[in-house]
Amino acid sequence: MNIEDYRNYCMNKKEVTEHFPFDNDTLVFKVCNKMFALASLKRWENGEAFINLKCDPEYAQELRAEYDSIKAGYHMHKQQWNSVYIHTGELSPQLITDLIDHSYNMVVKGLPKKVREKLQ
């Protein structure tokens, strides 16, 4: 997965917007103004691609135990966010998109019922 594939995959989800709220380097994707994915563009350019994704805390622990390329979220809440290191080549494209979907769904699940219904 390259940066364009990642961006396109995220942007094709309902009500997703992209932002640079922290600096000109950190690309953030939000659903209904709630962050679900972020990545450093400089790290991608330097061949160190990774994405921070929201994750169910129990599932996050399972993933970290199974994959060396999934670690506690870099500069994020360590229980609820994972850093998914794409550049290692360990993770399949399908797993990466599944984890993006999981993050998106975790955020949607926390939205008010009226907003969730709008997304269906």
Side-chain angles (χ1 to χ4, degrees), residues 9-85:
Y9 191 80
C10 290
M11 289 301 296
N12 282 324
K13 297 186 162 306
K14 289 184 180 180
E15 298 297 321
V16 169
T17 55
E18 63 183 329
H19 307 267
F20 287 91
F22 306 115
D23 52 37
N24 291 332
D25 174 50
T26 308
L27 175 59
V28 175
F29 292 101
K30 296 181 179 184
V31 55
C32 298
N33 211 31
K34 300 287 184 181
M35 189 167 49
F36 75 94
L38 61 147
S40 163
L41 298 180
K42 288 178 190 170
R43 297 281 296 260
W44 279 77
E45 289 171 4
N46 292 335
E48 303 168 346
F50 78 92
I51 307 168
N52 279 340
L53 297 169
K54 192 164 181 96
C55 191
D56 172 78
E58 288 182 26
Y59 186 41
Q61 292 298 324
E62 291 173 24
L63 289 166
R64 292 173 200 167
E66 186 172 348
Y67 300 100
D68 291 335
S69 298
I70 299 178
K71 302 191 182 310
Y74 179 72
H75 286 303
M76 304 297 286
H77 188 290
K78 304 298 184 209
Q79 290 179 323
Q80 297 179 4
W81 287 83
N82 280 335
S83 289
V84 177
Y85 291 85

